[in-house]
Amino acid sequence: MTLLGISHKTDRQLQLDVLAEIARDFRFRPAEIGVEVDDGIVTLTGTVSSYVKLGQAAELAAGVYGVKDVANKLTVESASKLDDTKIAQAIRDALRWDVDVPEERIDSIVRDGVVTLKGTVDHWGERMAARDAVAKITGVRYVNDHLVVSPAPPRGDQQIFDDIKAALRRRSPVDDIDVAVDRGAVTLMGKVLWYGLRQRAEQAAWSTPGVRSVVNKILVGA
């Protein structure tokens, strides 16, 4: 399998490309994030102003062609530490106001700005919406997502398999990804050229109705 017009990148080229992607994003300050690359594996270091930016930086790095994996060592600065009770109140309000979140089925625990979410949702999109709503709250330093996806009504494994394979064909020009489904638990296998395709495949699986969990065993490399 070859991808025309794209040559192998050195670690230095990858470092410059990741830095350029972060620098052109208005959400980040100059020199806010350090980037190291070793054999295609990117390590992000530094301190960012919010938990949301921690994830956004990793997504930018993962989207650069040639990146095999991302080690996210960013930390969130503790500028104005809020009382955990106030953070918990803000979390409840945020979940209640978000129409995509079944807030009555979600519990939160806050300790020193670290939030743990527990409960059951019907779909991966609801899980992501809840996590994103909480991550944006001032004072939140980290989110432990223990939400369980339990779709109702359940779907058959063959139907889930067919939907995922169709989604993969729409999102990627390659067909080197294998899918196994066992009672809603999905395992992805195979090999892709860059880390962004690995992420895209996982997102396609998670966004399929009926999926309870996803294990991503896709390898990255030529």
Side-chain angles (χ1 to χ4, degrees):
M1 179 179 62
T2 60
L3 198 59
L4 298 178
I6 300 179
S7 58
H8 175 72
K9 293 182 180 180
T10 64
D11 285 346
R12 177 57 176 166
Q13 287 173 320
L14 284 174
Q15 181 188 38
L16 293 174
D17 285 352
V18 173
L19 285 169
E21 282 297 297
I22 293 173
R24 69 190 297 267
D25 194 304
F26 71 94
R27 296 171 294 190
F28 298 96
R29 301 188 300 265
E32 185 176 16
I33 297 175
V35 177
E36 300 174 5
V37 184
D38 183 15
D39 193 25
I41 298 175
V42 173
T43 300
L44 303 178
T45 58
T47 303
V48 292
S49 58
S50 71
Y51 179 68
V52 174
K53 291 175 71 173
L54 185 146
Q56 291 169 338
E59 289 180 2
L60 287 173
V64 173
Y65 172 77
V67 171
K68 295 180 181 179
D69 210 339
V70 179
N72 194 344
K73 295 185 178 181
L74 293 171
T75 58
V76 180
E77 63 186 7
S78 54
S80 56
K81 184 177 178 181
L82 296 182
D83 179 80
D84 285 343
T85 301
K86 292 182 179 179
I87 294 175
Q89 292 170 344
I91 289 172
R92 185 50 49 190
D93 288 339
L95 295 178
R96 187 179 300 115
W97 294 335
D98 195 321
V99 295
D100 295 324
V101 176
E103 66 91 13
E104 70 282 355
R105 294 160 58 188
I106 298 176
D107 297 323
S108 65
I109 302 171
V110 186
R111 183 171 182 176
D112 294 331
V114 177
V115 180
T116 300
L117 296 177
K118 295 183 177 182
T120 304
V121 296
D122 292 329
H123 196 274
W124 176 76
E126 294 176 339
R127 180 181 177 183
M128 290 299 296
R131 188 166 63 188
D132 290 347
V134 171
K136 295 175 183 177
I137 295 172
T138 301
V140 171
R141 298 191 298 112
Y142 192 78
V143 180
N144 290 315
D145 181 4
H146 292 172
L147 294 173
V148 176
V149 179
S150 182
R155 303 179 77 210
D157 287 347
Q158 185 61 49
Q159 190 176 9
I160 294 174
F161 173 87
D162 292 340
D163 283 357
I164 293 175
K165 290 296 287 186
L168 291 175
R169 284 192 291 268
R170 291 193 297 269
R171 299 183 184 204
S172 173
V174 297
D175 193 25
D176 290 348
I177 298 176
D178 296 321
V179 180
V181 186
D182 182 13
R183 290 172 291 183
V186 176
T187 302
L188 301 175
M189 299 160 288
K191 195 170 186 179
V192 294
L193 283 175
W194 58 296
Y195 187 69
L197 289 177
R198 185 180 190 272
Q199 276 194 316
R200 195 178 300 172
E202 184 171 333
Q203 291 170 351
W206 269 122
S207 60
T208 301
V211 171
R212 296 176 181 269
S213 65
V214 177
V215 176
N216 194 342
K217 294 184 178 181
I218 298 174
L219 301 177
V220 179

